[in-house]
Each structure stands twice: as C-alpha cells, then as structure tokens.
Amino acid sequence: LGRLKAKVTSQNVSKQIAKALEGAAERAGITASELLELAVPTQGLGADARREIPVGDHTAVLSIEGDEAELSWRTPDGRLTAKPPASIAETQKAAVARVKDELKELRKALAIERGRIEDLFLEGREWAFADWRARYLDHPLTRTIGRRLIWTFVENGVETSLIAAGDGFETPDGRASVPGETARVRLWHPIDAREAPIAAWRTRLLEGPVRQPFKQAFREVYLLTPAEEETELYSNRFAAHILRYPQVRALMTARRWGSNFLGPFDGGDTGVAKRDFPSHGIRAEFWYDQLRAEFGTEVVEHCTTD
C-alpha cells in the first residue's frame, strides 16, 4: 500500500489506498503515517547503508551514496570494479541478474522513502526523541536521508534546529549540541524560522559537503503580501502567466493535484487543480484556462493562470 500510495496519480484510486491504509492503521492503533513509517524495509542494508552479496568467489556490494544507490564488485584480492568481472559474468549469470534486480529494488525503495519524508512537511508530525532516532537516524535506509536534513528539537519550551554530524548534532555555525532524551522532534521548515537562522543554514549547506535529499533550507517560502491579507482566501500573485500546458499537467500529476483535462470539448477550456491538506483542514485550488489564441485546437499547448 505504501508503494502504491507513492506511485499512483489517479485521485480516485489514491482515495481508496488512503482508506485502506487508514483502516489498517486503526486496527493497529496508530496513524496511517506512522504505519508507513514502521513498514519501511531495510533492503538488507547494514548500519553503514551497505549490503554485501557473495557471487562465486567475488562479492557484490550494494550501497547508498548521497541520493544514489550504487553497485560495485569486490574481487578476492580486495579490488573494487564497477562491472562484474568477466570471470563471473558468464559463469554466474543468474546470480549477477539477481544482484542487479536487488539494485533496482533498492533504488525504488530509496525514491519512495525520500518522497514519504518530504510529505512530512504537510503532516506536522512530531516524535519523542527515542522514536525519532530509531526511525530516522538508526534505520539503515532512512538514515541516508534523515542525517542530511535539519530537525527542530523542542525541550522545555526552547526550540533548537540541528543537523546530524558524526555521532552527534551541530548547529548551523558548527557548534556541537546534545538534545535531551525528553526532547520532541519535528522536521524543520523555513516557514517557521526567522531570516537569520534560514540564512545561517543556507550558508552552512553551501560551504559544507552535505547535499540535501530535497529542498529544505532553500525551500521557497511565500510571505503574504498586503493584497493577499486583504483578499484572505485567494491570491492574484501568480495570475496572468502563460505556461506550457503539457508541463503543467505533468507537474500536477506528479504532485498529486487532481485536475481536469483541457481540450476541444464542452468545458475543456477551463481547468481547476485541487489538493486537500487534511492535517491543516484546507483545500487549495489552482485555476487555469486554455490560451484563447489556441482555443478549439485539438492539442492544448499553452494555458494561462487565473
């Protein structure tokens, strides 16, 4: 169900998957988000995010380096090669094929987990320190993502943003910090931070070796303008732009926004993309229309934003 949730773009099917997940979570006495969190596979990885598979007298080494799952081969004398040595490529065809299949599965699992964690921005989840450490720092697969993200630790009403460094944690200016075992943890988002700490984290990431798995410190934040404070429930900030419709459609689908299709049929000149955010109790709508100059054409190439 977790894999389906990450891959399916149909709104109707997504709702059925969500309903099934909620039912399973209710039976387990936890939330659907926590159910997916606890079901993340290790893919056979060790604590160092590596897995070794014997193939003949050689060893296939699966590993995660940054955002990529990689496969290398170690010879009996300890040398590493990118491709299976000729001595086993022919004699161990089935085993080599199985290793390559394991690499594909690892890449899929890594992509799904990265998407699941990014979705936590929408959920506002918070963890007890021990639970968070077990699920995001110590899990063989998830740690490769969690250790490159900024987290907010809340203890006695004081919030501190930290990133994992070695066996401990550091502030944006590189000072070591030790969160207490009673701390609560949540994913840091620039929308909740002031300009100074945002700038400090961006500088730290630009100057250091850490490459984040998705936009976090550099995530776009749109502060309300006086005009938007006046209109309250709608914004004209992005109105009157001309966009390539096939690209817009693809992005909406990938980001799971339900939308109708533009085309030469009744009502096909106007579109509304919708996405619900249950944890915040809101629905967002993005309105767009077929470009008038192309109205009635069989293939819609451009649309205008409302």
Side-chain angles (χ1 to χ4, degrees):
L1 285 172
R3 289 193 174 204
L4 285 171
K5 181 178 182 292
K7 293 294 183 182
V8 168
T9 55
S10 164
Q11 290 294 302
N12 288 334
V13 178
S14 292
K15 288 178 181 177
Q16 294 178 53
I17 294 170
K19 187 176 181 181
L21 276 170
E22 287 167 7
E26 187 177 349
R27 290 191 295 274
I30 55 179
T31 65
S33 178
E34 189 173 10
L35 183 69
L36 289 177
E37 185 175 81
L38 294 172
V40 177
T42 65
Q43 299 297 130
L45 299 171
D48 57 354
R50 291 164 63 89
R51 177 183 177 188
E52 297 190 355
I53 304 173
V55 179
D57 58 350
H58 290 68
T59 303
V61 182
L62 292 168
S63 62
I64 297 177
E65 303 295 337
D67 294 323
E68 299 296 329
E70 299 178 351
L71 170 61
S72 58
W73 298 83
R74 190 170 64 237
T75 62
D77 60 5
R79 290 182 298 107
L80 288 176
T81 61
K83 295 182 178 180
S87 59
I88 64 168
E90 290 299 323
T91 60
Q92 301 283 343
K93 280 185 177 180
V96 170
R98 282 196 297 271
V99 168
K100 290 180 178 179
D101 286 341
E102 291 288 349
L103 176 63
K104 290 178 183 177
E105 289 301 310
L106 179 56
R107 284 175 173 164
K108 287 179 186 176
L110 184 62
I112 289 171
E113 185 63 349
R114 185 164 53 239
R116 183 190 71 80
I117 295 176
E118 188 173 12
D119 279 348
L120 292 174
F121 279 132
L122 305 178
E123 297 180 19
R125 286 282 305 281
E126 192 174 277
W127 300 265
F129 182 76
D131 291 339
W132 169 79
R133 178 182 279 281
R135 299 171 192 180
Y136 289 90
L137 283 198
D138 296 341
H139 188 283
L141 176 63
T142 309
R143 73 191 304 272
T144 64
I145 300 168
R147 293 184 64 85
R148 294 183 289 140
L149 294 172
I150 304 163
W151 301 88
T152 297
F153 298 81
V154 184
E155 194 170 15
N156 299 322
V158 178
E159 296 187 1
T160 309
S161 58
L162 304 170
I163 194 168
D167 294 329
F169 302 90
E170 289 183 354
T171 61
D173 59 3
R175 290 182 294 109
S177 181
V178 182
E181 293 295 324
T182 60
R184 302 288 296 178
V185 189
R186 63 173 181 266
L187 191 60
W188 181 89
H189 195 301
I191 201 169
D192 300 317
R194 296 184 181 276
E195 291 184 10
I198 294 174
W201 278 117
R202 290 178 176 178
T203 299
R204 161 76 182 255
L205 292 168
L206 287 172
E207 294 177 348
V210 174
R211 179 181 177 181
Q212 294 202 292
F214 47 77
K215 280 187 180 181
Q216 186 187 27
F218 288 90
R219 206 170 189 86
E220 296 87 347
V221 173
Y222 299 95
L223 301 179
L224 287 178
T225 63
E228 289 166 329
E229 291 177 345
E230 188 72 25
T231 57
E232 294 186 340
L233 294 180
Y234 69 91
S235 168
N236 288 322
R237 189 189 307 204
F238 300 104
H241 288 270
I242 297 176
L243 309 176
R244 293 185 179 90
Y245 177 62
Q247 186 177 3
V248 168
R249 175 76 177 175
L251 283 169
M252 288 174 178
T253 301
R255 291 291 180 175
R256 298 194 291 278
W257 284 66
S259 63
N260 56 300
F261 195 75
L262 298 183
F265 41 79
D266 187 32
D269 60 328
T270 299
V272 180
K274 303 175 182 178
R275 185 166 180 186
D276 292 320
F277 300 90
S279 60
H280 295 75
I282 59 174
R283 164 181 285 184
E285 294 186 353
F286 182 75
W287 303 337
Y288 56 99
D289 302 310
Q290 183 179 357
L291 189 66
R292 287 295 168 184
E294 298 177 357
F295 185 68
T297 55
E298 219 168 284
V299 179
V300 179
E301 296 289 348
H302 298 88
C303 65
T304 58
T305 61
D306 196 352

